Amino acid sequence: MVDVSTIPEPASPAEQPRTVAVIEVGTTSIRMAIAEVEPSGAVRMLEALSQGVSLGKETFTRGEIGKQTIEDCARVLKAYCRKLEEYDVRQDDQLRVVATSAVREALNQMAFVDRIYIATGLTVRPIDEAEVHRITYRSIQPLLAAEPRFTDAHTFICEVGGGSTELLVVERGNVKYSHSYRLGSLRLRQSLQGLRTSAEKVREIIELESQQALDNLVQHVPASTGAQLLTLGGEMRFAARQLIPDWDPETLGVIEVPQLARLTDAVLGMSEEAIVRKYHVTLPEAETLAPALLINLQLAEILSLEQITVSVANLRDGLLREMGDQSIWTDDFRSQIIHSALELGRKYQFDEPHAQHVAELSGILFAALREEHGLDARAELVLYLAALLHEIGGFVSHTSLHKHSMYLIQHSDLFGLSPDDVLLVALVARYHRRASPKPTHQGFNTLERDRRVTVSKLAAILRIAIALDASRTQRVRDVTCHRERQRLVVSIPQFEDLSVEQLALRQGRSLFEEIYGMAVQLRPQAPREVKQPSSQL
């Protein structure tokens, strides 16, 4: 007889690995990665596919994608769908299809997305720069944690794409700065297409463009720490294969800057057809090779570096990691966004202890009022960021400080936030004092009703939090809230004189009462007495 006690029970669905896939519709190719994700979140690559297309060439010259190119993309994606069926990738939560700048900037973006859906059933979602930065960070996060050379240095992560150059500056594992430059290899190549000029002149133009775009980066490198440059992208992988004997793509490659300069000079002096013949690359790859190498070289020279590190990490890796986590808004991602906001506040010399304390108080009030406002964790983060940055407008002028704060937030790079989210943060900060939101106010009048209500709810909470630190001493800490009929009672367990906070609350509570329909009262609360055991004589 078989001893059934020795037969392992089959793993439950939650314990089994999932097969997932991501498709990236890029400027010069459509790439797909299929992987297996363990319950722990670990990702194991199963297969990777790539097919060249001419999306960027048309978008960056004519402004829209041609009909034939759309049909070419549909044909490629139909073939990918057949491959997905082989791997039994059928559910929505198993697949993400994203598009970068070539689709995002196309005037007929909607027609492209609709045609692909009709032809394949796939929903292509163009992603903005903020999402690209978030996903790029997720892709290189393990490298930053594993490599000692990146621990204390300012690490510049650069990817020169066809339409733009994406840059992250990371300090001790935290994102300090992120920006997207309209400095793409294909965009540059197409802008030079009509010029009949020498290779030397082409180089001069590209160097001038990249120098003007990237020259301000040195301000992010304190003289005492130095910098590291970690590059992504196919062109730098090409350089690593050419310059590093027996390079294993599973490891980081290190290229000497003079070597890269010589390779760049050689490529710049060749026609695209000659590049194809000598290096056995495709024509689309040959078209972007020289500008991309030159931009990376320029960045290394601006940072006064002798070496460049090359990684094979890419956008698809970051997407797969997010699918493994089954969440975008992880604790680490939130902490990176907050760190970015703190760096912005320091840039504008904000009162950091006051700002951080108001942010913490806002979080306490948000949690206490959860039943009343009904908002999610993303709104909580918007409130926290607005609380951190509500006074940065004082760097410009204390007159109309709230409006200056809104302007500075809107025109700054906050890592990981979409333009819509940045607008919400800016508006909540704008309404931290003075007038209530009005339909005539710029920015607020562009929002849909649900978002207008969200701004009003969050701004009302922020005003209460600011009043609780009106003394700017951070003395109000242990706050508890409860509802008494139509009144919110904020209790402070202390006997101190709270007249400053009481006055500030009376001046700032009108928006809260208007939005939530409750009066607000600040009430000192005596600490509970602990009875001492009586001594026996």
Side-chain angles (χ1 to χ4, degrees):
M1 294 180 63
V2 177
D3 183 1
V4 295
S5 65
T6 64
I7 302 176
E9 295 183 6
S12 66
E15 298 172 340
Q16 295 177 350
R18 295 187 304 135
T19 303
V20 299
V22 295
I23 298 175
E24 175 193 353
V25 182
T27 56
T28 60
S29 62
I30 301 177
R31 301 179 178 91
M32 179 168 71
I34 303 173
E36 197 171 65
V37 176
E38 299 291 339
S40 64
V43 177
R44 183 172 69 89
M45 192 67 67
L46 299 176
E47 188 168 354
L49 302 173
S50 179
Q51 180 66 52
V53 291
S54 300
L55 283 166
K57 185 180 293 187
E58 295 181 352
T59 297
F60 303 144
T61 54
R62 304 205 311 257
E64 62 178 31
I65 305 166
K67 291 181 180 179
Q68 185 56 52
T69 299
I70 294 176
E71 293 307 313
D72 290 343
C73 293
R75 175 181 50 78
V76 171
L77 291 169
K78 283 179 182 178
Y80 285 1
C81 286
R82 291 192 290 271
K83 179 63 69 172
L84 292 174
E85 289 177 2
E86 294 177 18
Y87 282 94
D88 199 29
V89 176
R90 303 175 187 275
Q91 304 299 321
D92 290 344
D93 64 351
Q94 292 179 277
L95 176 66
R96 290 186 66 182
V97 186
V98 301
T100 54
S101 57
V103 174
R104 184 176 66 239
E105 296 181 22
L107 297 174
N108 59 340
Q109 173 199 130
M110 189 175 296
F112 175 87
V113 170
D114 290 348
R115 174 59 190 142
I116 296 302
Y117 178 76
I118 292 169
T120 67
L122 298 175
T123 300
V124 179
R125 190 171 67 84
I127 54 176
D128 58 31
E129 291 92 341
E131 288 184 279
V132 172
H133 294 158
R134 182 196 76 232
I135 297 165
T136 299
Y137 175 75
R138 295 301 304 275
S139 71
I140 54 88
Q141 200 175 14
L143 297 176
L144 298 177
E147 283 291 323
R149 79 184 93 161
F150 301 130
T151 303
D152 297 320
H154 277 63
T155 304
F156 288 71
I157 296 101
C158 177
E159 180 167 14
V160 180
S164 59
T165 293
E166 309 300 339
L167 194 72
L168 298 178
V169 182
V170 178
E171 178 186 15
R172 296 183 179 87
N174 293 312
V175 177
K176 185 178 180 181
Y177 173 79
S178 63
H179 193 70
S180 180
Y181 298 90
R182 288 177 65 85
L183 188 70
S185 54
L186 188 59
R187 193 191 299 273
L188 276 172
R189 172 62 71 187
Q190 294 305 115
S191 67
L192 297 170
Q193 197 71 41
L195 298 178
R196 296 182 179 180
T197 186
S198 63
E200 291 77 12
K201 192 64 177 178
V202 168
R203 179 183 187 125
E204 182 182 335
I205 294 171
I206 295 176
E207 284 181 336
L208 180 61
E209 291 277 344
S210 54
Q211 185 80 25
Q212 289 176 341
L214 302 173
D215 210 20
N216 68 332
L217 292 179
V218 291
Q219 66 180 297
H220 298 287
V221 188
S224 59
T225 61
Q228 292 279 343
L229 177 57
L230 176 62
T231 59
L232 314 177
E235 291 81 9
M236 290 304 292
R237 293 194 295 272
F238 163 86
R241 289 194 299 269
Q242 299 300 315
L243 300 174
I244 304 174
D246 303 319
W247 177 51
D248 178 6
E250 296 300 316
T251 64
L252 294 175
V254 178
I255 297 175
E256 301 295 327
V257 171
Q259 286 183 303
L260 181 61
R262 288 191 290 270
L263 177 63
T264 303
D265 287 341
V267 172
L268 276 166
M270 300 168 65
S271 67
E272 292 161 3
E273 292 76 12
I275 293 172
V276 171
R277 288 194 301 270
K278 179 172 181 177
Y279 296 111
H280 307 290
V281 297
T282 65
L283 183 59
E285 290 171 335
E287 291 175 335
T288 61
L289 189 55
L293 293 179
L294 189 52
I295 293 170
N296 280 288
L297 180 61
Q298 282 284 101
L299 181 55
E301 292 175 348
I302 288 171
L303 298 175
S304 302
L305 299 179
E306 297 179 357
Q307 293 181 330
I308 299 174
T309 305
V310 180
S311 170
V312 297
N314 55 56
L315 200 69
R316 297 172 300 289
D317 294 334
L319 288 167
L320 289 170
R321 288 198 71 204
E322 285 191 347
M323 295 181 78
D325 293 337
Q326 297 187 328
S327 173
I328 293 174
W329 296 90
T330 61
D331 290 342
D332 180 69
F333 178 48
R334 290 168 61 88
S335 70
Q336 293 302 326
I337 297 173
I338 291 170
H339 185 83
S340 175
L342 284 169
E343 288 293 333
L344 180 61
R346 290 163 187 158
K347 176 181 177 180
Y348 292 115
Q349 302 173 15
F350 73 154
D351 182 347
E352 187 167 346
H354 173 66
Q356 288 196 290
H357 194 61
V358 170
E360 294 298 327
L361 291 172
S362 296
I364 294 171
L365 293 169
F366 185 93
L369 292 161
R370 200 174 299 277
E371 290 186 7
E372 279 74 19
H373 59 63
L375 300 174
D376 58 14
R378 194 163 186 167
E380 183 177 11
L381 179 61
V382 167
L383 173 61
Y384 195 95
L385 298 174
L388 284 178
L389 301 173
H390 72 278
E391 285 188 333
I392 64 172
F395 184 84
V396 178
S397 173
H398 284 280
T399 302
S400 298
L401 174 151
H402 54 302
K403 294 180 182 178
H404 295 312
S405 293
M406 177 179 173
Y407 179 87
L408 292 177
I409 293 169
Q410 273 194 282
H411 293 83
S412 298
D413 293 304
L414 281 173
F415 168 74
L417 293 188
S418 69
D420 288 343
D421 289 331
V422 171
L423 176 59
L424 291 187
V425 174
L427 284 168
V428 174
R430 182 250 192 271
Y431 293 121
H432 82 270
R433 67 174 197 173
R434 301 286 177 87
S436 298
K438 290 182 172 57
T440 55
H441 288 168
Q442 186 177 2
F444 189 75
N445 58 10
T446 66
L447 300 178
E448 297 177 354
R449 183 187 61 187
D450 288 348
R451 286 183 164 250
R452 292 198 304 271
V453 171
T454 296
V455 168
S456 298
K457 287 179 177 179
L458 297 180
I461 294 174
L462 177 56
R463 292 191 186 195
I464 302 302
I466 292 169
L468 294 179
D469 195 41
S471 66
R472 292 181 179 266
T473 61
Q474 295 79 61
R475 63 180 182 170
V476 175
R477 292 187 175 274
D478 299 323
V479 177
T480 59
C481 303
H482 67 278
R483 184 167 181 167
E484 290 182 0
R485 297 185 177 86
Q486 292 302 109
R487 176 187 301 159
L488 177 71
V489 178
V490 181
S491 300
I492 312 297
Q494 56 196 34
F495 286 110
E496 294 184 46
D497 178 12
L498 296 175
S499 57
V500 173
E501 289 80 8
Q502 294 276 17
L503 177 60
L505 186 62
R506 282 198 294 271
Q507 294 173 342
R509 67 189 178 188
S510 60
L511 179 60
F512 185 92
E513 294 173 350
E514 174 186 333
I515 298 300
Y516 289 95
M518 290 189 291
V520 187
Q521 180 182 4
L522 182 60
R523 182 183 297 173
Q525 176 182 328
R528 295 180 180 178
E529 294 184 3
V530 179
K531 293 184 177 180
Q532 302 292 332
S534 59
S535 59
Q536 294 183 354
L537 298 177

